[in-house]
Structure formats: structure tokens, C-alpha cells
């Protein structure tokens, strides 16, 4: 059984760039009949907050992702400690005492000599007495993983044959001097122990994968399948930073975008498929093939969301939108006719509220062509108003006044709605009703 995970740190709000790995994992699970684990990488106690943890769950739910399983790294410290002990016992985790300044000085020296700035493993030469002396000075060790100087290879779900030459990397620090873990080890321990079969994440993690494969192997754990997708960037190539809150999922939700619009853009950009509005997850899952994802950055223009959103709204069945119209305060008895009338004019569902205001009033009518309006008032038909009322009424006004085309419709639109543009008046007029129409034609704010 496939088990994938999405592993954000609860240190900020998710943005559209995070939606990409979240969705690629969720869609992969859906397609393979597998499960999706949400793992909060909250080992950084200072920056992780409960508010962000809760927001991540909410934002995923809004995207349509309900995790099958949930884990928190902060609750798995005992397992991380046990794994660290095993690495120590195997001679793969060693204590280092250099300060940041010492490391920086060494780096500069190496660069000056034209050498790659790789950690020189000086700490491996320390004797037990050296270490005791350093500790007596009050120094606490940080711990590095001893890399095998070899090239790690794997068959990447997205990139095909992939490799990382670990001989060109510094031994990574796994544990800080204060005893806290960096991301690298807990991620491997949790992936291994929770049974993750496929790790699908951004290509910014390719080098990590080289290191992490070695850690899986050092722990005697099965190595999962890896897939590294291209990262979503804005059109100018700028990355999306969680800290900037740039295009946060919550911001997009509050702005009234449909989750399906965000999903379509987050997933289809930089894939083999054209970016289009896909309303449901199953169809989206059928369109995504990890092996077909481009290796170039997935550049997108945030304004594409508007077009995608409008297309989704224009195709949205009334039954689906009915509860939302009720939330906007639109009375249920007229909501369906109202939806049919305004749907083609909406970019976002929330704009329905503005059109309801135009229907129910009060609005400020704009009276321009006195003659047209006078005739319109005079021959305004009796109730009930239906879908044919507009046609019959305007035909009659035309034959009385000779006004036609824009010269006929614009004065009526301005009087009835106070606006130059809007939904088809044939649909709006029955909703406005005779009484309000008469008052508006008389110039009254109604
Ligand atoms: N917490 C890590 C991140 O947000 C997870 C990376 C991974 O998927 O392994 O970058």
C-alpha cells in the first residue's frame, strides 16, 4: 500500500507553492489507492506554533485534502534519540566543537586556496582527553553524520535517473549544540518508522536526498522511492516564501477564490498538461503524471487565477452553490433564478452579493433619456414578471419611441440598476419586480 506524506513546518501559513507538493502527494495517493500522512515538522520549538499547525489543517481541508494519518515530530523525540544512539554506536555520528566563527574562518581559508569549502573532519581527530578539555571549557558538541564518500543514485519519479556525489558535501550537522535536531534525521526516522513508501517533494531537496539515503541505509531501513518536482515560481522567476505570506492559501480563500482554481494552477503549471480549470480531484489526479512534470521551473502568473476561477464559477451547478448564496443573505425562494441571471457575470461567487444589492436595492437610479424612461414607466406591464417580460416590454418601448439598440437599453439599464454594465436584464427584471422597477424609473432610490 502506498503511503505518502506532506511535511510542512508549522512556522507560517501555507502558500500556493506549498499547495503543489501537498496536492501532488494527495493525488498520487488517490491514484494508487494509497494513504496520505500529514506530518508536522515541528522540531523547531521556538518558531512552531499551534496557530500555524491548526491553519495548515484548515488550509489543506479547504484544498480538499483530508489526511488519513497524522504525526508530529515533536512527539517522536524518543525515536529520534534512539536512532541517533544507533548512528553513534555505528560510528556514523560524531561530536564536533567548532564555533560558527571557527568554521567560517576555515571556510574562507579553503576558498582562498581554491579548495571546496567542505568540513575538514578535524573533529574526528580529537582524542577523549581533547573532548573532555573542550567540555571543561563549557563547550557542548554538535553532531555530524559521517558521509560515505560515494555517489548516491536513485530512480527519481520525476527526474528519472538521479545522483548526488556525497564526496563533495560536508558531513551534515544532525544535532545542534543545544541537543535539538535539524530536519535531516527526524525526517528519515519518521519516514522509515511510519512506513512512507514514496517521498514526493520539491527539487530543493535533491541534495538532502543524497544524504538521507545514506542515513536510511546506516539505520538499516528500507529506502523509499523519491520524486522531486519543480518549484512554483512567479513569472519573473521569484520563489515563493512562506514568510512573506505571498499568495497564502488563506489569503486566496479570503479573496474568494475557489479551491479548484488554486488546485488547478498549483498542479498543472509546469506539467505536461495545459493549465485549465479542473473542478474535481479525480480528474486532476488523472491528469497528473509525475514522470511528465517538466524540469524547468514552474512559472505562473497569479492573475491566471482570475480566469480559472471565472470558468469554474460559470460552470457551477446551482445545487452546489445554493448554501453559499444563503450565506451571502440571498433568499432561498429566488436564489436559483438569481443565480441563473448573474452567474455569467461573476468572476467570484462572492460578487453575487453585489448583484443581490442591485436587485433588492436600494440603488440610485440614473435617469438619462427622459422620453424612453417616460414610455417605459407608462407601459410597464402588470405582474407577474417572467422571462419574456423584458422582451415584450422593450419591443413596445421601441415602437413607441423609436429608440433602439444601445439608445434603448442603456437608459433602461441605468435607471433600473444605476450601472452601465451588468447581467442580462431579461433575467434581472423579474427579480427586481414591478414595484421597485416603477420606483427606479421614477428616479427614486429603491
Ligand atoms: N519540513 C520539510 C520542509 O518543509 C519537509 C521536507 C520533506 O518533504 O522532506 O521542507
Amino acid at each position: 500500500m502506498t503511503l505518502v506524506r506532506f511535511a510542512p513546518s508549522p512556522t507560517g501559513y501555507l502558500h500556493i507553492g506549498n499547495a503543489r507538493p501537498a496536492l501532488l502527494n494527495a493525488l498520487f495517493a488517490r491514484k494508487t489507492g494509497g494513504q496520505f500522512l500529514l506530518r508536522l515538522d515541528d522540531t523547531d520549538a521556538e518558531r512552531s506554533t499551534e496557530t500555524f499547525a491548526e491553519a495548515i489543517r484548515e488550509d489543506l481541508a479547504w484544498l480538499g485534502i483530508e489526511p488519513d494519518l497524522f504525526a508530529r515530530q515533536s512527539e517522536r523525540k524518543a525515536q529520534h534519540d534512539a536512532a541517533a544512539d544507533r548512528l553513534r554506536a555505528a560510528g556514523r555520528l560524531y561530536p564536533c566543537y567548532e564555533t560558527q566563527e571557527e568554521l567560517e574562518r576555515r571556510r574562507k581559508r579553503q576558498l582562498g586556496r581554491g579548495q571546496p569549502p567542505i568540513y575538514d573532519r578535524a573533529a574526528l581527530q580529537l582524542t577523549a582527553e581533547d573532548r573532555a578539555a573542550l567540555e571543561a571549557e563549557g563547550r557542548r558538541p554538535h553532531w555530524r553524520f559521517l558521509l560515505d564518500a560515494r555517489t548516491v543514485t536513485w530512480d527519481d519519479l520525476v527526474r528519472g535517473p538521479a545522483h548526488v556525489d556525497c564526496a563533495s558535501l560536508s558531513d551534515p550537522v544532525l544535532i545542534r549544540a543545544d541537543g535539538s535536531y535539524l530536519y535531516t534525521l527526524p525526517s528519515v526516522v519518521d519516514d522509515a518508522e511510519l512506513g512512507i513508501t514514496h517521498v514526493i517533494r520539491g527539487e530543493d531537496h535533491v541534495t538532502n536526498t543524497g544524504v538521507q539515503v545514506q542515513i536510511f541505509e546506516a539505520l538499516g531501513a528500507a529506502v523509499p522511492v523519491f520524486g522531486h518536482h519543480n518549484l512554483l515560481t512567479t513569472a519573473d522567476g521569484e520563489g515563493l516564501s512562506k514568510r512573506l505570506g505571498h499568495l497564502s492559501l488563506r489569503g486566496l480563500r479570503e479573496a474568494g477564490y475557489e479551491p479548484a482554481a488554486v488546485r488547478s494552477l498549483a498542479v498543472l503549471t509546469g506539467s505536461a498538461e495545459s493549465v485549465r480549470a479542473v473542478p474535481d480531484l479525480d480528474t486532476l489526479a488523472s491528469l497528473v503524471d509525475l514522470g511528465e512534470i517538466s524540469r524547468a521551473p514552474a512559472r505562473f502568473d497569479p492573475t491566471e487565477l482570475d480566469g480559472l476561477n471565472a470558468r469554474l464559477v460559470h460552470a457551477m451547478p446551482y445545487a452546489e452553490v445554493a448554501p453559499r448564496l444563503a450565506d451571502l443573505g440571498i433568499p432561498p425562494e429566488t436564489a436559483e433564478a438569481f443565480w441563473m441571471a448573474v452567474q455569467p457575470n461573476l468572476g467570484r461567487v462572492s460578487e453575487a452579493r453585489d448583484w443581490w444589492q442591485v436587485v433588492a436595492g436600494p440603488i440610485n437610479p440614473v435617469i438619462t433619456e427622459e422620453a424612453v424612461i417616460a414610455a417605459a414607466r407608462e407601459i410597464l406591464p402588470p405582474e407577474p414578471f417572467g422571462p419574456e417580460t423584458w422582451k415584450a416590454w422593450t419591443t413596445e418601448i421601441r415602437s413607441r419611441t423609436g429608440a433602439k439598440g444601445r439608445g434603448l437599453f442603456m437608459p433602461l439599464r441605468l435607471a433600473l440598476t444605476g450601472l452601465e454594465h451588468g447581467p442580462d436584464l431579461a433575467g434581472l427584471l423579474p427579480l427586481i419586480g414591478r414595484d421597485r422597477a416603477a420606483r427606479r424609473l421614477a428616479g427614486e432610490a429603491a
Side-chain angles (χ1 to χ4, degrees), residues 5-9 39 41 183 187 191 199-202 204-205 212 242:
R5 89 294 196 279
F6 174 56
S9 297
R39 187 182 82 199
D41 284 3
Y183 145 80
S187 184
D191 285 342
V199 172
I200 300 163
R201 58 187 179 184
D204 49 336
H205 286 288
Q212 289 181 323
K242 184 157 56 176

Side-chain angles (χ1 to χ4, degrees), residues 253-399:
R253 181 176 77 200
E254 280 156 18
Y257 288 107
E258 299 300 316
V262 176
R263 288 198 299 251
S264 301
L265 193 61
V267 166
L268 296 178
T269 302
S271 79
E273 295 288 330
S274 59
V275 177
R276 53 186 181 275
V278 180
D280 64 292
L281 283 163
D282 282 324
T283 310
L284 199 55
S286 72
L287 290 175
V288 185
D289 180 348
L290 290 175
E292 298 290 325
I293 289 182
S294 154
R295 292 188 59 169
R299 286 181 204 277
F300 80 106
D301 174 357
T303 61
E304 283 180 74
L305 275 177
D306 293 316
L308 291 170
N309 207 77
R311 261 167 270 149
L312 288 161
V313 173
H314 297 166
M316 204 174 275
Y318 169 69
E320 189 185 319
V321 82
R324 293 163 68 183
L325 297 179
D327 286 347
L328 293 175
I330 293 153
E333 49 303 348
T334 41
E336 183 161 12
F338 171 73
W339 178 247
M340 300 319 255
V342 302
Q343 181 176 28
N345 288 70
L346 300 179
R348 304 177 197 186
V349 171
S350 57
E351 291 161 9
R353 193 198 283 119
D354 305 333
W355 292 120
W356 183 253
Q357 172 66 31
V358 168
V359 166
I363 59 122
N364 289 314
V366 178
I367 305 298
T368 50
E369 300 295 324
E370 277 299 344
V372 172
I373 299 303
R377 215 166 47 215
E378 217 170 290
I379 59 168
L380 189 62
E383 302 257 28
F385 279 8
E388 304 307 325
T389 307
W390 170 255
K391 180 98 194 299
W393 182 44
T394 51
T395 306
E396 186 61 24
I397 304 168
R398 182 171 59 207
S399 63

Side-chain angles (χ1 to χ4, degrees), residues 71-82:
R72 278 185 126 111
Q73 292 202 313
S74 57
E75 289 169 1
R76 297 185 37 82
K77 184 159 187 312
Q79 286 86 337
H80 305 152
D81 289 345

Side-chain angles (χ1 to χ4, degrees), residues 231-244:
L231 301 179
L232 216 51
T233 67
T234 50
D236 55 10
E238 182 197 331
L240 299 167
S241 153
K242 184 157 56 176
R243 252 166 281 171
L244 288 177

